[in-house]
Amino acid sequence: MTVYGSLVYLLFLATLLYSIGWVEGLVVPRTIDSGHEASTAVAIVIDLALLSVFAVQHSVMARPAFKRRWTRVIPPPMERSTYVLCATAALALVMWQWRPLTGIVWEVDATPARIAIYTLSLAGWALALIATLAIDHLDLFGLRQVFRYRAGKSPSPIDFRTPTLYRMVRHPLYLGFLIAFWAAPTMTDGRLLFAAVVTGYVLVAVRFEEHDLVTAFGDRYRQYRRQVPMLVPHPRRRS
């Protein structure tokens, strides 16, 4: 079980690193603006279908009701690792079968400005990573569960914490991804479609996630939600 969780994590990490290059158009052989060609209409249909698979997998498998049923099939310590494996497969499918739409929406030609925008986008990826480290990176990606099982320990109790990033916005992980996707020195039709659909997914997913958090933590989370903005820092609201 520990080997399973570790291999899933390494596979996820490799896929995530590839996805950074895929979105940014850096280093990797195939990017969001290259690959299998298709007519505009066919490309839009295929890309929307791929993103729908990704969104449904993420949302459905994350719900408590699904987890209760799913853990009748697989051992509970493997539940999170299996979720990560399925999420990794869904992301890999998107990148593998994505149809590029290469029309230019905007393009920044000045070199200093391009570097600044690339830096902002990479900072978004960094923010997403830091957000996972600020809470419990190992738990989020299923490693802590399998390690505790191997050590003969019971699962860690779910705790509600708000480290520094989470006192600025409730969902810094999502904020990091949105910055990464929208900060593009060259915004093609394909990247715009990707960024817009993912943004819509995030806004919907947050509602489901926060419903689950209210169910789990009650008034503690309701008060937190009143005090801290969802995605955009707003000091006056925090005060």
Side-chain angles (χ1 to χ4, degrees):
M1 194 174 294
T2 306
V3 172
Y4 172 75
S6 300
L7 289 176
V8 167
Y9 177 76
L10 292 175
L11 179 61
F12 158 76
L13 192 60
T15 305
L16 177 64
L17 291 174
Y18 191 99
S19 73
I20 296 174
W22 184 78
V23 170
E24 302 294 344
L26 299 172
V27 182
V28 299
R30 179 181 293 180
T31 73
I32 197 170
D33 296 320
S34 65
H36 306 291
E37 295 185 359
S39 67
T40 298
V42 170
I44 290 173
V45 170
I46 291 175
D47 293 346
L48 288 176
L50 291 168
L51 292 172
S52 297
V53 170
F54 180 84
V56 169
Q57 180 276 321
H58 269 63
S59 293
V60 172
M61 290 191 71
R63 302 282 68 80
F66 181 90
K67 292 179 182 181
R68 286 192 295 271
R69 291 175 173 82
W70 187 225
T71 49
R72 297 172 188 170
V73 179
I74 64 169
M78 293 175 59
E79 182 273 325
R80 189 65 189 181
S81 291
T82 304
Y83 173 88
V84 172
L85 177 62
C86 292
T88 300
L91 177 57
L93 178 65
V94 170
M95 295 188 292
W96 176 39
Q97 289 299 319
W98 184 263
R99 302 303 194 260
L101 295 162
T102 55
I104 303 297
V105 181
W106 71 69
E107 185 166 24
V108 177
D109 293 323
T111 300
R114 288 186 70 86
I115 293 174
I117 295 171
Y118 269 125
T119 301
L120 177 61
S121 185
L122 293 174
W125 291 103
L127 174 60
L129 172 62
I130 293 168
T132 69
L133 297 173
I135 41 176
D136 193 332
H137 183 87
L138 297 182
D139 187 84
L140 185 63
F141 296 107
L143 290 174
R144 186 175 301 284
Q145 293 88 325
V146 294
F147 290 158
R148 289 183 68 88
Y149 179 81
R150 182 182 181 183
K153 298 179 180 178
S154 58
S156 302
I158 299 175
D159 189 23
F160 177 62
R161 299 184 298 111
T162 55
T164 303
L165 275 179
Y166 289 81
R167 297 186 202 125
M168 299 173 64
V169 291
R170 301 197 301 273
H171 301 281
L173 175 64
Y174 291 149
L175 175 60
F177 284 135
L178 295 182
I179 292 171
F181 299 154
W182 284 101
T186 300
M187 178 64 84
T188 61
D189 292 335
R191 182 159 176 174
L192 179 63
L193 177 67
F194 181 84
V197 172
V198 171
T199 300
Y201 163 72
V202 164
L203 295 177
V204 172
V206 161
R207 305 300 178 185
F208 286 105
E209 185 175 320
E210 294 202 334
H211 176 271
D212 294 341
L213 289 167
V214 168
T215 301
F217 299 108
D219 288 338
R220 290 177 64 194
Y221 194 84
R222 292 188 185 95
Q223 182 178 2
Y224 172 68
R225 190 168 57 181
R226 288 193 295 268
Q227 293 174 338
V228 179
M230 182 171 71
L231 289 169
V232 181
H234 196 308
R236 285 183 296 179
R237 281 187 60 183
R238 285 169 53 217
S239 64

